[in-house]
Amino acid sequence: MRELLQFKGGHVEFAGADETLASIAKRMSEMGISQMPVRGANGRGPLMIHELDLLQCLASGRCTPNDVVSCAAAELQGQVSPDDRISKVQEIFDDNNVAVVIDDGEIIGIVSKIDVIEFLAARS
């Protein structure tokens, strides 16, 4: 996993706990990403906001674009360590999650299916 993280680069984009859904949607669109971990969500465990969470929340009327991220964010799933093998990441993909790489309690990477595909293709 460490080799994959080095290949991918180390930047992780976070949503702020007080950030609006409209702001998050705009940043996700501009950056071409489909999920963001949430930093500083008071009183809840680690959270992740996925584009599907945004879509379902806004389409159902449960949230408005001016609501904060906690309205739509879900509990963080798919946690792996930098020392895990790619096979563990594949198991996470089977559950329709991205792999969230955590080291010493900090999120240091997000690994998607295309990240693994590009990494494996570059090795051949």
Side-chain angles (χ1 to χ4, degrees):
M1 178 70 66
R2 288 188 191 274
E3 188 180 351
L4 171 59
L5 288 173
Q6 288 174 338
F7 173 81
K8 180 182 178 324
H11 180 73
V12 177
E13 189 70 24
F14 286 87
D18 59 348
E19 193 169 353
T20 66
L21 297 178
S23 171
I24 291 168
K26 182 178 181 189
R27 284 200 303 136
M28 289 170 73
S29 175
E30 289 171 349
M31 299 180 76
I33 58 176
S34 58
Q35 67 281 318
M36 277 190 229
V38 179
R39 193 175 295 225
N42 297 340
R44 291 176 70 182
L47 300 176
M48 178 74 80
I49 184 75
H50 294 267
E51 62 188 357
L52 183 59
D53 300 326
L54 286 168
L55 175 62
Q56 290 174 340
C57 183
L58 293 169
S60 72
R62 188 170 43 101
C63 300
T64 71
N66 294 321
D67 285 330
V68 296
V69 67
S70 61
C71 176
E75 185 177 311
L76 186 68
Q77 302 289 317
Q79 298 179 36
V80 296
S81 93
D83 297 316
D84 284 335
R85 299 174 150 272
I86 290 181
S87 59
K88 172 129 187 201
V89 173
Q90 289 173 294
E91 292 172 18
I92 290 168
F93 294 160
D94 290 343
D95 292 331
N96 288 321
N97 289 307
V98 293
V100 181
V101 186
I102 298 183
D103 193 20
D104 290 329
E106 296 291 322
I107 296 173
I108 63 166
I110 306 285
V111 178
S112 67
K113 294 171 188 154
I114 196 65
D115 295 330
V116 175
I117 292 166
E118 289 174 344
F119 172 72
L120 294 173
R123 287 179 31 184
S124 57

